Amino acid sequence: MGMDSFAATTVPPRAVTSNSADARATGMPVLDLRGLTVEIPTRRGVLVPVRDVSLAIAPGEVLGVVGESGAGKSMLGSAIVGLLEKPARRAAGTILLDGQRIDNLTPSDMRRVRGRRIGAIYQDPLTALDPLFSIGSQVVETIRCHLPLGAVAARDRALSLLDRVGIASPTRWFDRLPHELSGGMRQRVVIALAIAGEPRLLVADEPTTALDVSIQAQIVDLLKSLCRDMGMAILLITHDMGVIAEIADRVAVMYAGRIAELGRVGRVVQAPAHPYTAGLMGAIPDLGVRRMRLAQIEGAMPRLGAIPSGCAFHPRCAQADAQCASVEPPTVPDAEATGIVACWHPATALSRAEPPASGLQRPNIVASSRDEGMPLVAAVGLTKHFRRDPNWLERHFGRERSQIVRAVDGVDFAIPRGSTFALVGESGSGKSTVAKLCVGLLAPTAGAVLYGGADMRTVERSGRLQMVFQDPGSSLDPRWRVCDVIGEPLRARGPILYRDARRRTDELLERVGLAAADGDRWTHEFSGGQRQRISIARALACEPEFLVCDEPTSALDVSVQAQILNLMQDIQRERQLTYLFISHNLAVVSQIADTVGVMYRGRLVEVAKSATLFAAPRHPYTRQLLDAIPRIGGTARASVRRLATVDDSTDASDDPVGCRFRARCGEAADICSTDNPPEIDGPAGRVACYRRT
């Protein structure tokens, strides 16, 4: 919905106050920022994470905010909600909510606005939920804080809200603690808390980043329905352009604290005017299309204390000239007059007709598939079951039965030397357990992992197998300098002279795109993408043959993600490395994987060549995952979102009878309820489904 459609928006009367109704009748936006600037005073000067930001959001409109880490997105959201952490402060500009200024309210007055008129959703639901209280009590408390309801009415409303956000059988989960819920369910509870006071504005900061594609699809659908049914305005902060393309009406692209481009989603995605926006779009992998290299924006977001003069993007821009380096560009209407752009040389309709001669355009070279060779790593009947005994609290409430959690239940696959095998599936499907089994961090209950034809447990693994984790911040020792972090595997192999270890460390740093001098710095001094490069350098220190990569790019911006994927593919070609790559981002998988295995509740339901699987998926679950992916150039289908909630109430420890996917499958037959489908090999790959055998 555009800015010219304010008056046409219909909002249920219960969702607004009289002031907001008057605002809607006069065409007034729900949120109106005018020249907002945020400053952080430090001993070395004043840092400015948000600079002169002006934007407006209409009733029922979703405005997306995108940009790399450090662009100022989250600081912008915190300033709107009134949760800036000292010493950060609003230095200039105004914030109007339904025409009323809120930036000058006292802390006590702002607390009455927050929750009642402005709701907030944050990336990590565990930090937003109190681990000591049940989810029901937390929702009831929030309702009674903002609405004049008694205990019974508040409980009824809490159950209604939990049902509204897609939690099946809310009475079953009402008295559960947050840790007893899945990640997707916890995020739904946070959304219920955010809308409990029927706010006019919802600020959602990365609400889908850590979720798998089916749960992400549900959250996106939920936000869209809330916007439509309750007439809320939503400020959606994310680095996922697929989510933006599917849910947002307009999008603002931020760089170094300033809006670089703002306009209708269709125009910005399909025909970006700013080179930075074009770079972000070029760095996104295409689902089902594998390229030799992804386009990438060289360099990184400047630090707040070292923002370049002129256009802040000019050191990374292939089109920059002397004017860009010396004078900051003003914000002007774009060529179509539907948005704004801050660039001295914005792309026009004419210039977009011919691809620019820069590193920002997408390459068109498709990588050839590798020939199958002798497997370096193979899983044969790989099984891992965990016994879960009740804790004291569960025994107190009468839950005394031990449970067997079938994390991995008879998995078979082979990875030829020099190739990449990817595992995909929802959270809880067993992917990370397989990874730990493959590097020996867990012992299998049954079956085996073969390395070069021998049982992994009998093979000398020192240096030959390494792992790259999702969060480099937690896998790198913050007390050590980078040279010590990377050099530790070298010292663990045996005595080595310091100068030899340092020489090897410097070589590895330069190979992963960092400087040798970075070895003297601490890990916290680097960005997330740079820390992931350090993790890769550490994994390469002992010249391994096999790398297990567990969600190595899930927390990265699209531009940094492109750099890491290009680096991994370059190193693989140089050293004939073999990868086990685990991810819930299927576009990333299509870019890097030769073969893909789809896991569901501990079993592989389909294994096929990457090109085959993305072009013609055979298992209904695989098709559901592909349908759930937000599309940059179109809309996603809704079948997955309708069915995915069934699995939230499924106990992973149940002894499965029949096909494990049958409750979510629209094609299930009687035999699917009684017999477990065998895995059938064919020319197109392997599939475990009676309908495809």
Side-chain angles (χ1 to χ4, degrees):
M1 184 176 302
M3 296 290 290
D4 57 347
S5 303
F6 290 174
T9 307
T10 57
V11 184
R14 65 181 181 83
V16 299
T17 64
S18 60
N19 288 332
S20 61
D22 294 339
R24 190 177 69 252
T26 58
M28 186 176 295
V30 173
L31 177 69
D32 190 1
L33 300 184
R34 301 176 183 177
L36 180 64
T37 298
V38 176
E39 293 181 349
I40 305 176
T42 69
R43 290 178 296 176
R44 298 182 180 180
V46 177
L47 307 180
V48 187
V50 177
R51 296 186 296 138
D52 193 25
V53 170
S54 298
L55 54 85
I57 312 178
E61 182 186 27
V62 179
L63 175 67
V65 181
V66 300
E68 296 169 292
S69 296
K73 309 185 300 295
S74 294
M75 190 68 73
L76 175 66
S78 297
I80 294 169
V81 180
L83 291 177
L84 287 175
E85 296 184 8
K86 292 184 177 180
R89 66 192 181 198
R90 182 189 60 83
T94 58
I95 305 174
L96 285 81
L97 184 66
D98 283 327
Q100 300 176 351
R101 189 170 177 182
I102 63 172
D103 57 89
N104 58 355
L105 295 179
T106 63
S108 60
D109 289 338
M110 192 61 197
R111 280 194 294 271
R112 283 190 285 270
V113 171
R114 194 165 44 243
R116 182 64 182 94
R117 298 176 62 194
I118 301 178
I121 305 170
Y122 296 100
Q123 178 175 351
D124 184 6
L126 277 179
T127 62
L129 297 173
D130 193 318
L132 301 178
F133 293 90
S134 68
I135 63 167
S137 65
Q138 295 184 57
V139 178
V140 167
E141 179 188 24
T142 303
I143 292 172
R144 298 195 68 185
C145 179
H146 298 296
L147 299 176
L149 296 177
V152 176
R155 177 183 171 86
D156 292 341
R157 178 160 173 75
L159 289 169
S160 176
L161 277 173
L162 293 176
D163 181 69
R164 176 72 182 84
V165 297
I167 294 182
S169 305
T171 53
R172 174 185 176 186
W173 303 98
F174 195 83
D175 295 320
R176 297 288 186 94
L177 296 174
H179 75 271
E180 298 181 88
L181 279 65
S182 67
M185 294 181 74
R186 285 195 294 265
Q187 192 64 288
R188 295 191 195 106
V189 173
V190 171
I191 294 175
L193 291 171
I195 66 173
E198 299 179 340
R200 290 284 291 141
L201 173 68
L202 195 61
V203 178
D205 191 355
E206 300 280 8
T208 63
T209 296
L211 305 178
D212 51 60
V213 289
S214 61
I215 303 301
Q216 174 181 274
Q218 297 172 46
I219 300 302
V220 167
D221 271 354
L222 175 58
L223 292 175
K224 289 168 68 175
S225 65
L226 290 173
C227 191
R228 179 184 64 247
D229 299 340
M230 300 179 67
M232 277 190 286
I234 298 180
L235 181 76
L236 177 63
I237 299 169
T238 183
H239 63 249
D240 192 329
M241 286 301 299
V243 171
I244 290 291
E246 184 168 353
I247 187 177
D249 300 290
R250 293 182 300 137
V251 58
V253 182
M254 290 190 69
Y255 188 83
R258 192 181 183 210
I259 291 182
E261 184 171 0
L262 187 151
R264 292 180 295 101
V265 164
R267 200 276 300 160
V268 173
V269 168
Q270 301 297 332
H274 198 285
Y276 176 59
T277 311
L280 291 179
M281 298 308 303
I284 300 172
D286 291 323
L287 187 66
V289 177
R290 186 172 184 182
R291 308 180 189 280
M292 287 294 293
R293 291 180 66 81
L294 290 169
Q296 65 183 53
I297 308 175
E298 301 298 338
M301 181 72 64
R303 297 184 180 182
L304 290 178
I307 295 179
S309 59
C311 175
F313 184 64
H314 84 264
R316 306 172 68 186
C317 182
Q319 304 175 30
D321 56 18
Q323 184 182 34
C324 301
S326 58
V327 183
E328 186 173 54
T331 299
V332 298
D334 62 13
E336 284 80 7
T338 58
I340 59 173
V341 61
C343 180
W344 287 115
H345 309 291
T348 63
L350 181 61
S351 65
R352 293 189 195 108
E354 298 179 1
S358 74
L360 300 180
Q361 64 187 40
R362 297 188 183 189
N364 294 315
I365 304 173
V366 179
S368 59
S369 60
R370 298 180 179 87
D371 294 331
E372 294 239 1
M374 177 68 182
L376 176 68
V377 179
V380 181
L382 190 60
T383 301
K384 182 62 180 179
H385 294 171
F386 296 94
R387 180 185 179 91
R388 182 180 180 274
D389 295 320
N391 57 36
W392 68 270
L393 186 62
E394 291 170 325
R395 288 195 298 270
H396 177 75
F397 284 102
R399 304 176 194 169
E400 299 182 0
R401 182 172 62 91
S402 296
Q403 298 173 320
I404 300 299
V405 179
R406 303 169 183 272
V408 178
D409 208 12
V411 166
D412 297 281
F413 61 81
I415 313 177
R417 184 182 297 273
S419 68
T420 300
F421 180 78
L423 280 178
V424 302
E426 296 168 297
S427 298
S429 60
K431 307 185 300 297
S432 294
T433 304
V434 169
K436 293 175 182 178
L437 290 167
C438 285
V439 295
L441 294 178
L442 290 174
T445 304
V449 178
L450 305 181
Y451 188 86
D455 193 313
M456 182 75 75
R457 289 169 289 189
T458 66
V459 173
E460 172 56 45
R461 290 169 285 173
S462 178
R464 300 171 69 181
L465 291 80
Q466 292 292 333
M467 196 162 182
V468 179
F469 297 93
Q470 176 177 355
D471 181 13
S474 61
S475 60
L476 301 176
D477 195 323
R479 300 168 296 178
W480 288 2
R481 296 185 186 273
V482 170
C483 61
D484 298 320
V485 169
I486 299 176
E488 182 189 21
L490 298 173
R491 296 189 296 272
R493 296 183 68 180
I496 184 172
L497 294 176
Y498 176 82
R499 65 173 180 272
D500 294 335
R502 184 57 193 263
R503 182 171 58 252
R504 175 64 176 153
T505 298
D506 292 346
E507 292 172 355
L508 288 168
L509 283 171
E510 292 175 349
R511 180 62 198 88
V512 298
L514 298 174
D518 289 332
D520 295 320
R521 297 168 61 188
W522 305 94
T523 56
H524 73 268
E525 299 181 73
F526 295 87
S527 66
Q530 290 172 322
R531 285 197 293 266
Q532 196 62 285
R533 290 172 182 266
I534 294 170
S535 296
I536 294 174
R538 187 181 190 278
L540 295 175
C542 294
E543 299 185 352
E545 300 174 306
F546 180 49
L547 273 184
V548 176
C549 306
D550 191 0
E551 300 277 11
T553 64
S554 66
L556 303 180
D557 306 311
V558 290
S559 58
V560 180
Q561 173 183 274
Q563 296 175 12
I564 297 301
L565 292 177
N566 287 339
L567 173 64
M568 293 180 65
Q569 290 181 296
D570 291 344
I571 293 174
Q572 183 178 46
R573 284 189 287 266
E574 290 175 6
R575 304 191 179 196
Q576 280 294 291
L577 283 175
T578 305
Y579 290 150
L580 172 61
F581 191 91
I582 295 171
S583 179
H584 63 248
N585 188 327
L586 296 183
V588 167
V589 167
S590 71
Q591 168 63 26
I592 198 168
D594 299 291
T595 307
V596 181
V598 183
M599 287 196 72
Y600 185 77
R601 294 190 67 192
R603 295 201 68 194
L604 280 171
V605 297
E606 184 169 1
V607 179
K609 288 294 185 182
S610 179
T612 302
L613 184 135
F614 287 104
R618 301 175 66 198
H619 197 280
Y621 178 56
T622 308
R623 295 201 304 273
Q624 174 173 303
L625 289 178
L626 294 177
D627 286 347
I629 300 172
R631 312 289 170 153
I632 294 294
T635 58
R637 285 156 278 182
S639 59
V640 174
R641 292 145 195 185
R642 185 176 63 253
L643 297 174
T645 55
V646 174
D647 199 50
D648 283 337
S649 60
T650 303
D651 194 336
S653 63
D654 290 341
D655 188 3
V657 177
C659 175
R660 303 180 184 190
F661 186 66
R662 67 184 185 278
R664 302 170 70 184
C665 181
E667 306 175 29
D670 292 341
I671 192 174
C672 301
S673 301
T674 57
D675 297 329
N676 195 27
E679 296 181 3
I680 305 298
D681 284 314
R686 192 167 83 234
V687 65
C689 179
Y690 282 114
R691 292 293 192 180
R692 299 292 178 267
T693 55

